[in-house]
Amino acid sequence: MSGRREPMTGYRHICPICGKEFWGSSEWKYIKKKRIQGTSYTKVYYCSWKCIRIKEKANNSD
């Protein structure tokens, strides 16, 4: 089966840092929880570890 690609699974996301389009599922590794209104949380999907680190550095410099 060499040369065959696995079909895209999951959901289409756009990285909030670099704008890259990618497909991520519930098992996606680069997810951060973001607090909204009190104790509610939403998931923010990033395309890579690099983009997560850029966001963390920006938050720490504030």
Side-chain angles (χ1 to χ4, degrees):
M1 289 207 171
S2 65
R4 294 190 70 186
R5 292 184 156 183
E6 185 177 320
M8 287 189 273
T9 59
Y11 298 96
R12 179 180 166 263
H13 298 284
I14 297 184
C15 180
I17 301 299
C18 67
K20 179 181 175 183
E21 179 182 342
F22 63 97
W23 292 83
S25 64
S26 60
E27 293 90 29
W28 190 251
K29 303 292 183 201
Y30 310 115
I31 301 173
K32 287 284 190 178
K33 288 185 180 179
K34 179 179 177 183
R35 178 174 275 178
I36 56 170
Q37 295 183 349
T39 59
S40 298
Y41 289 93
T42 187
K43 293 179 181 177
V44 179
Y45 289 77
Y46 295 90
C47 67
S48 65
W49 179 249
K50 178 182 172 184
C51 287
I52 287 178
R53 294 296 295 147
I54 290 170
K55 178 65 175 172
E56 288 175 350
K57 286 180 183 181
N59 285 345
N60 289 338
S61 66
D62 292 341

